[in-house]
Amino acid sequence: MDARDTDLKKELDATLHARRDLGEEYESALVDSFLEKVDQRIDGAVERRVRRQLAKQQMQAARDSRSPRVTDSWGERFGFGIVSLVLAVPLSAIGGGVGRLPGLLVAWAGIVGVNIVQALRSNPNLFGRRRTSSRDADWED
């Protein structure tokens, strides 16, 4: 049994003794007083739980905002761009030498396609619609 439970039990016993002493005409007032104390206890317990849950959510949000994004690394994007340019030279030579202009266009279409896929992988909203914040949305009405 919790200390709060024993306090509540003592309050109930005191209320019952007061009812015996004062009589039945004060019964509703005594019951209302006791129920008010129970309500205060419940409200306090709910408030503590809500605060605890809110603190947990804030801590989780703070942890999530500090974690680095693995897919949005500047070094990864830079390295991919360098490798893409280095490979573009021999691919252009092979495509232009074998297939002339159509071969060169196919080689560069492949290079551009691979770079677009990489850009979309690291930034999914690159070609999508930009999200507006709630402040911007107020001006659009």
Side-chain angles (χ1 to χ4, degrees):
M1 190 181 273
D2 195 343
R4 289 176 283 187
D5 291 340
T6 58
D7 290 344
L8 199 56
K9 186 173 178 5
K10 288 178 185 177
E11 288 287 336
L12 179 60
D13 288 339
T15 302
L16 291 174
H17 286 290
R19 184 202 174 262
R20 282 187 216 127
D21 293 342
L22 297 174
E24 290 184 15
E25 60 270 1
Y26 291 102
E27 182 176 346
S28 65
L30 291 170
V31 169
D32 289 342
S33 172
F34 177 74
L35 290 177
E36 181 67 31
K37 291 175 186 175
V38 171
D39 283 343
Q40 289 173 356
R41 294 271 172 101
I42 292 172
D43 289 345
V46 168
E47 187 176 336
R48 283 190 300 277
R49 286 182 185 170
V50 167
R51 272 196 244 143
R52 191 177 309 128
Q53 186 66 26
L54 183 61
K56 284 181 184 178
Q57 289 174 352
Q58 288 173 343
M59 290 294 291
Q60 186 65 36
R63 283 189 203 118
D64 291 344
S65 68
R66 287 188 299 176
S67 63
R69 287 186 176 175
V70 177
T71 61
D72 199 16
S73 152
W74 182 83
E76 181 182 339
R77 291 183 308 210
F78 183 73
F80 191 83
I82 294 294
V83 168
S84 179
L85 288 175
V86 167
L87 291 177
V89 173
L91 287 175
S92 297
I94 294 169
V98 173
R100 307 259 184 234
L101 183 61
L104 184 64
L105 291 177
V106 168
W108 273 97
I111 293 168
V112 169
V114 167
N115 280 285
I116 287 175
V117 168
Q118 171 64 14
L120 287 173
R121 188 183 72 80
S122 63
N123 189 2
N125 295 327
L126 184 64
F127 296 116
R129 208 174 133 208
R130 186 178 74 93
R131 291 183 188 172
T132 59
S133 67
S134 61
R135 291 185 312 210
D136 294 341
D138 290 341
W139 289 98
E140 292 176 0
D141 290 338

